Amino acid sequence: QVQLVQSGAEVKKPGASVKVSCKASGYTFTGYYMHWVRQAPGQGLEWMGRINPNSGGTNYAQKFQGRVTMTRDTSISTAYMELSRLRSDDTAVYYCAREFIAAAGPSYWYFDLWGRGTLVTVSS
Amino acid sequence: DIQMTQSPSSLSASVGDRVTITCRASQSISSYLNWYQQKPGKAPKLLIYAASSLQSGVPSRFSGSGSGTDFTLTISSLQPEDFATYYCQQSYSTPPDPFGPGTKVDIK
């Protein structure tokens, strides 16, 4: 079954770090970029960055540069997103999402597979 | 960076209504535009990719159109399960900063 399974909810104190995992199954993990998207309570979707699971190369949204680190472990088909120096406004559901490139024509891509999300609560 | 806007931010409609949501890019993105539906407590679900291609399994009452900077998502006959929030997402530039702010569709 093609799916992304994320780690469980976390509660962290301001200033701490959190590491969320996303385990892929049912497809070749190294064949698709993995993105991370977050959603604060009652807010829209916010793109954080992506990782190439094959090379480990990353692209981060400017907003998170210096605070976010995306890594992967190909031996267990798992991607990780670590966010440091947490603040209360980092409270959100964090999603991993697979980038799929359409087969025909120009390189149209989209998010075709999503994890169920991991709630990270930052509170003193 | 490319900025995405959506209008309206919310709308109220009845079952059976035709609903149209607009997405605009700050510069031309050709047809690199996707649409997602999100229900409360759930992950987003892809509806339309490449501006007008219907994702497999998505009902045909959903359609997308447009190119360049202006795009439209249309629901031809709104069903009870369609009450949700809809997001556009551009895939033209990388890193993408891709999502529009969303349009919430609720029951009139």
Side-chain angles (χ1 to χ4, degrees), chain A residues 74-90:
Chain A
T74 57
S75 69
I76 56 171
S77 299
T78 299
Y80 301 92
M81 187 285 300
E82 184 170 20
L83 190 62
S84 63
R85 302 192 300 278
L86 290 168
R87 306 184 293 253
S88 58
D89 62 358
D90 291 317

Side-chain angles (χ1 to χ4, degrees), chain A residues 84-124:
Chain A
S84 63
R85 302 192 300 278
L86 290 168
R87 306 184 293 253
S88 58
D89 62 358
D90 291 317
T91 294
V93 175
Y94 290 77
Y95 293 101
C96 57
R98 185 179 78 168
E99 174 186 315
F100 185 86
I101 298 176
S107 297
Y108 294 110
W109 66 265
Y110 45 84
F111 301 120
D112 74 321
L113 182 66
W114 295 71
R116 297 181 69 174
T118 296
L119 175 62
V120 175
T121 303
V122 183
S123 174
S124 55

Side-chain angles (χ1 to χ4, degrees), chain B residues 4-104:
Chain B
M4 307 300 295
T5 58
Q6 287 182 235
S7 61
S9 57
S10 65
L11 65 90
S12 295
S14 300
V15 172
D17 284 353
R18 181 181 183 87
V19 170
T20 299
I21 298 168
T22 297
C23 177
R24 177 164 290 173
S26 59
Q27 65 187 72
S28 177
I29 58 171
S30 184
S31 297
Y32 291 87
L33 193 284
N34 308 315
W35 289 98
Y36 300 84
Q37 175 195 67
Q38 187 182 33
K39 296 181 180 179
K42 301 294 186 182
K45 171 188 172 184
L46 177 70
L47 299 176
I48 302 285
Y49 65 94
S52 60
S53 295
L54 191 68
Q55 173 69 343
S56 176
V58 173
S60 59
R61 63 181 180 273
F62 291 94
S63 64
S65 64
S67 67
T69 60
D70 295 317
F71 302 87
T72 300
L73 173 70
T74 300
I75 309 172
S76 61
S77 178
L78 196 67
Q79 298 302 300
E81 60 269 30
D82 300 337
F83 292 97
T85 300
Y86 293 84
Y87 294 93
C88 62
Q89 175 242 324
Q90 64 88 5
S91 60
Y92 181 83
S93 63
T94 306
D97 195 15
F99 295 103
T103 296
K104 184 176 182 180

Side-chain angles (χ1 to χ4, degrees), chain A residues 3-54:
Chain A
Q3 62 181 351
L4 300 173
V5 178
Q6 296 188 224
S7 49
E10 304 260 14
V11 179
K12 296 292 184 180
K13 294 193 182 300
S17 297
V18 68
K19 190 171 185 177
V20 179
S21 68
C22 171
K23 182 173 178 58
S25 61
Y27 72 94
T28 303
F29 175 65
T30 53
Y32 302 83
Y33 278 80
M34 191 73 77
H35 296 243
W36 290 88
V37 176
R38 77 176 187 178
Q39 187 169 40
Q43 302 302 307
L45 302 170
E46 182 175 32
W47 182 77
M48 300 181 69
R50 69 174 187 175
I51 183 168
N52 179 340
N54 188 42

